[in-house]
Every structure is written in structure tokens, then in C-alpha cells.
Amino acid sequence: MLSAELIEIEKRYGAHNYEPLDVVIERASGAWVYDSEGRRYLDFLAAYSAVNQGHCHPAIFQAMCRQAEKVTLTSRAFRNDQLPLLYRDLYELTGFDMALPMNSGAEAVETALKAARKWGMAAKNIRDGQQEILVASNNFHGRTIAIVGFSSEEQYREGFGPFPSGFREVPFGNAEALRRAITPNTCAFLVEPIQGEAGILVPPAGYLREVAAICRENNILLILDEIQSGLGRTGKMFAYEHEGIRPDVLILGKALAGGYYPVSAVLSSNEVLGVFRPGDHGSTFGGNPLASAIARAALRVIVDEKLPERSAELGEFAMAYLRRVRSPHVVEIRGKGLWIGIELNRPARPFCEELKQRGVLCKETHTSVIRLAPPLVIDKADLEFGLEQVRAVLEENVSEPRERVPELAEATGP
Ligand SMILES: *Cc1c(COP(=O)(O)O)cnc(C)c1O
């Protein structure tokens, strides 16, 4: 079916809670995606870092198929032979005592919040119902009611109240403000090491180290949401490694399953995750054998293909390239590894539309930021092609209509 027809059907029958670029992707491989007409585009978003391993990675595909013909879902009412192995892999990769598997990122965040509240009661004698969790300004942790309730983004909240209490916001990047906000009822601080949705906001060097020290001194849990920053994106396996610290609780999702499945997890100590007793918390799909087999393969690809190292290397190359671009529209370029935000002095959407015309898919974030986050398996030559298109749109006046890149219309891919 033609892209235009599919877009019409989608608009007619689907809720309009997104405003996607009008590109209808039919298949994908590595860093490239193909639309219904066979045009190919370089993916510079990687499903918000869920496909760090590249689209349709063959090793993950194989693990998925093998598991899919054995058993896919048991529920946690019974045990399965894959989940224990995922637990052990996560332990070996991260050193955290225990993991609790969920599906979406938001569910894992909710799980971490529940663990922190219960831990606050058990370990700090905070009266139940009085536990307080500090969060950062400009945070993004998902879309459940509790989570949007402490978002600083008005649109995420408007019309969705009432919200649970017990959350307080402190400015992101300011460790002293965190110290001042702590009360005897504070049990945790939830923060992204680098804020992705807020526009790839990198906090001042030393921030996380100070935050970790403040949390330790005050006996509160440092919960890092590495759903987007983790698993190689910033040039380390986890973004916290840049500051030589360890959080008390680590939240993973997105690339944990390489795009084949929603898999998320909360990792922590025996003391923290030990607060959950049978019946306290659960999920029908969390930890199912198909998810576990896929996640194991997805983690193996990240390690075997040295994706964190690739991200560091290619990120440095991309950053150096972009710093040479002379554009009247660019306010700031920032990022870590192959995760770069280009802040403009105007809306970024027209630039993303223009990039699409040139065969590169990006999505604006926070109105004025172009986010570059290609799959970490991307070839250097492909990355250079994408960066060249970014340079061209930044140097041009995008309001001027321009011709299509001719090779695009005919290209059908490798
Ligand atoms: C994507 C994301 C989430 C939410 O994950 P979902 O799978 O969409 O629920 C939470 N935190 C961060 C930092 C994210 O990037």
C-alpha cells in the first residue's frame, strides 16, 4: 500500500497522540530504514536509542525465533528457563545484586519508585505515606500518571490530574539545591545522568559525583534512569561511568531488547529490591521467556560488538564535524558519545522535515533541538553522509524550497 494511503488510514482510525514525520517505514536493516515506496533513509533517532544494536540485528532475531518456537509466556506464576539466565547476565554486566524485570520504561520507573518508598519505610523508619522522592527539573521518565505528575512539562500534566503526592522538584545540574531540598522524609533522588528528552542536557562535570556523595551522606537512594543514556549510548556502557560513581538503583529499558520487544528492568542491591515480598508487585509479561531470551541476545551484541567504544569513537568524530559547521541558526551543540543535541534559535521541526527530504530521519525534541542518535552499529561512511545532510540544512535557509537529492528516489538499499 502507498504511504499516502496508510497515513490516511492511520489518521482516520488512530488516536493522534503523536505528530510523526510523514514517512511510513516498511522495513529496516542496521542504520537504514525503507518506506513503502522503497526510498531509503538513514535513521538518526534509533527509536530513541531502543535500537542501539541497529534494526533487525540478525543475532537477536535468531535468539527470538529460537525462543518463540519453544515457549513465549508462562507468567510469573511459574518459573521459566530463560529469566534466571537474564538475571545472571545482568549481574555479570553491572554488578548489581538483583534485578526486577518489567516491560516498558515507565513501568520500571514506577517499580523503582515503589521500591524506594518501601525502602524508606523499612530502612529509614519514614512513616508510610510520608516518603518523599526528589526529582530533577526538565525530567522525562515516562507517561504514567505518577510520572507525569512530577514532570515540569505543562503539556504532559494538563488535564490528567489529580496526581500522587510525595514528589518534589530540584533544579537539574545543581547539587547544592539537592542538598538543601533533603528532609528527614526524603528516601530517594531520581534523575537521568544526561537528560535526553529535555534536549540532551549534559550536567556540569562533577555533578553526578557530588549528587552521589550527597545521597550517601544523607542515606537516600540515588536512582539513575538510564533507559535512554544506558547500554552504550554515551560512549560508556552506562553514563554514570563517566563520573566513576555507582547509583543505588539503575533503571534500564529501550536497548535492553534491541527493538524486538519491550523489556525493562530495575537493578539494585539485595537490601533495596529485597523490600518486595511475594504479591507486593508484579507484571503478567515482565520476565517472560521470550523477553528474557531477546534481552540476553541484545546485551551480548552490545558487548561483543563493543558498541560503547564505537559510540565514543564515532561520537567524537561527529562532534568534531558539527563544530566546524557555520550556521546562523545554531545556539549550542552538546552531547556525549553518539548522542548529540543541536540547539537552534528557532523551531527544529522544519529542519527535520528538510533532513527527511535529504534521506535522514531525525526528530526534534523540546521544539528547538535536533537530536542525533543513530544506531551505534552505523558505518562511519553512513554517519558522514548523515552529518553532511545535517550540515547542509543548517547552513541553508530551510524556508527556501529545494530539489530532492536525486539518488534518493531510486535508491532501494544495499
Ligand atoms: C523512554 C524513556 C522512558 C520511558 O520509557 P517507555 O518505554 O516509553 O515507557 C523513561 N525514561 C527515560 C529517560 C526515557 O528516555
Side-chain angles (χ1 to χ4, degrees), residues 18 48 103-107 109 140-143 147 192 194 196-197 225-229 253-254 262 264 339 371:
Y18 276 90
Y48 303 97
N103 313 283
S104 69
E107 284 175 301
V109 172
F140 182 82
H141 298 291
R143 301 291 202 154
I147 291 170
E192 303 150 80
I194 292 175
E197 295 314 294
D225 179 347
E226 291 237 29
I227 291 170
Q228 196 166 156
S229 59
K254 295 206 165 106
S264 62
W339 202 28
R371 161 180 24 203

Side-chain angles (χ1 to χ4, degrees), residues 124 126 132-134 168 181-188 219-220:
K124 296 192 67 173
I126 303 172
E132 191 177 71
I133 294 174
L134 300 174
R168 221 149 28 87
I182 293 169
T183 73
N185 287 335
T186 306
C187 57
N219 192 27
I220 70 174

Side-chain angles (χ1 to χ4, degrees), residues 32-91:
W32 292 92
V33 302
Y34 303 84
D35 73 8
S36 304
E37 282 73 32
R39 283 183 291 250
R40 73 168 186 163
Y41 303 86
L42 192 58
D43 182 357
F44 257 30
L45 178 64
Y48 303 97
S49 296
V51 289
N52 286 353
Q53 300 90 337
H55 290 277
C56 300
H57 193 290
I60 311 174
F61 176 72
Q62 201 176 51
M64 180 181 75
C65 292
R66 281 212 189 108
Q67 189 58 41
E69 59 184 14
K70 290 171 74 186
V71 58
T72 56
L73 182 64
T74 55
S75 86
R76 298 285 304 278
F78 312 124
R79 298 181 192 272
N80 71 69
D81 73 344
Q82 295 299 306
L83 180 57
L85 305 179
L86 173 61
Y87 283 149
R88 194 177 58 191
D89 286 355
L90 285 169
Y91 170 74

